[in-house]
Amino acid sequence: MDFSSETLIHAGEYKLESLNLTSQNSGASADITEFMLELNIYEDIFSFCMTGNLIVADAANLISNFPILGNEYITIKVRTPTLEDIPGNVIEKTFQIYAIYDRVLNDDRSQYYNISFMSIEGYENTTSVVTKAFSGPTDEIAQKIFEDYIQVDRPMFIMDTPHTSRIKYTSNHWSPFRNMNFISKTAKGSKLKGSDYLFFESNQSFYFASIEGLIQAQLNGVFDEYALERNGANMPRRITDVGYTGNRLPDSVTAIEDLKKLTTIDVLDGNNKGAFSASIDGYDFYTKKVINVSSDFDFPDFVKTGSKSIIPSTLLKDPRAHKTFQSHNTGLFSDFGITEEKELPSGSAASNISTNKLNRKGYLNSFDNNKFEAVLPGRTDIQVGNVISLLYPSAEAPGEDLSTVLDPLLSGFYIISAIHHKFNSTRHSMITELIKNG
């Protein structure tokens, strides 16, 4: 097909190329495209797998005749017009239906109901257990668990390999996702310092990646540039000195329809949860030594969405005000390696583990200081983890210099941490969460 002959009539237009039900019992399949009222798909870097729901108007009593019992597969394929039908440009996946809610019968014998679904990997995780001992680099263990217990048809990308972190632990009837969550809290890559690994699924793949790594990989080529245009203003796109990896679509597709500031710096809340500084006192059961590690989270050596810190330099903070305690090399969880150093100096195994925990806490908390909810026209070549450039207009009168047109603090790079894809009969829109820490 010649995709260049297609036209994008309006922002948010989409082609629903597949919406099929498949019965696990009989193998029968049914096209339910005409039954769809609304389709919602959710992806989030802080969620292990994708979920969604489909609101159906059923005038053929499909729910009883097919029947839909709550254990079927639903296959979805959606594409933005003008985009070539290749992986990366389409949202295509088979999900597992797990529940049917809000079934209502109308007077005209039609009925409405809400079908809830999730990734097959997530569904199978609920009944899968792992009882096994693991030892080795965190990237190798994560890959083995994914291949042996999670993978259905999608790959997983692991960032910043080979990992410098090694663990030894026993999975005692844990689910596969619980194992991945445990490993992510101890993982540290080969170069980056953030120790902020997450296991999540986007609409394209599974990832075992740090937010710091996602940002670093895109600083020289972000996905696209989005603008908040007010009073009929027309902001030119892609004029900043950085590359772009997303398909070039009309400016109407990258026009922000609504923008809500969710969080800014809350000094009291940040100090209460140790977001600005914290410390750990660790006791090593092998050597009977104590290690003390503290940190002020200025992150000069960490990759951020911007070069400047958004935390005020005069902020009142004390690492002793948020102190936690860590046991190393206990008999139950011997997962930190033996710390044989006599005095446990800086750089010891226990010291490194405690430092990594502090770095993870501070780096993940840093994204709570600047968070937006943005409503954007839908497109199917986007996924969570993408970094975008945001043009936020300044409140002052514009001058000839571009720096007076844009707000210097709110404009810049953001990482997309969550997307709610919403499809109705006419339009695809996205409710996104955007976060930054620089």
Side-chain angles (χ1 to χ4, degrees), residues 364-397:
L364 291 178
N365 279 331
S366 69
F367 292 99
D368 289 336
N369 298 324
N370 254 315
K371 185 182 297 183
F372 274 117
E373 180 184 272
V375 179
L376 310 173
R379 56 192 296 180
T380 57
D381 61 340
I382 197 170
Q383 62 177 320
V384 290
N386 284 151
V387 173
I388 64 168
S389 171
L390 174 64
L391 304 181
Y392 191 97
S394 173
E396 62 183 286

Side-chain angles (χ1 to χ4, degrees), residues 8 80 82-83 89 218-228 235-256 376-383 385-392 411-416 430 434:
L8 188 64
T80 299
T82 72
L83 297 185
N89 283 348
Q218 300 175 76
L219 286 179
N220 294 321
V222 300
F223 177 75
D224 213 331
E225 190 160 61
Y226 285 79
L228 180 65
M235 288 190 181
R237 309 289 199 274
R238 300 194 178 194
I239 60 174
T240 51
D241 188 20
V242 65
Y244 298 93
T245 60
N247 291 283
R248 189 67 163 101
L249 295 174
D251 286 353
S252 58
V253 178
T254 55
I256 299 173
L376 310 173
R379 56 192 296 180
T380 57
D381 61 340
I382 197 170
Q383 62 177 320
N386 284 151
V387 173
I388 64 168
S389 171
L390 174 64
L391 304 181
Y392 191 97
S411 296
F413 290 164
Y414 287 77
I415 187 167
I416 303 174
M430 303 185 301
L434 312 176

Side-chain angles (χ1 to χ4, degrees), residues 14-29:
Y14 70 96
K15 289 182 176 293
L16 184 60
E17 301 189 337
S18 178
L19 187 61
N20 291 322
L21 284 180
T22 302
S23 171
Q24 291 195 48
N25 296 327
S26 65
S29 180

Side-chain angles (χ1 to χ4, degrees), residues 3 19 50 55 64 67 84 119 150 166 188 225-226 234-235 237 257 264 273 295 309 350 358 362 369 376 436:
F3 297 98
L19 187 61
M50 295 172 64
I55 301 175
S64 297
E84 186 179 357
S119 295
I150 299 175
R166 299 178 63 89
K188 188 174 185 300
E225 190 160 61
Y226 285 79
N234 183 18
M235 288 190 181
R237 309 289 199 274
E257 297 174 351
T264 55
K273 66 183 181 181
S295 179
S309 174
L358 288 178
N369 298 324
L376 310 173
K436 69 182 298 188

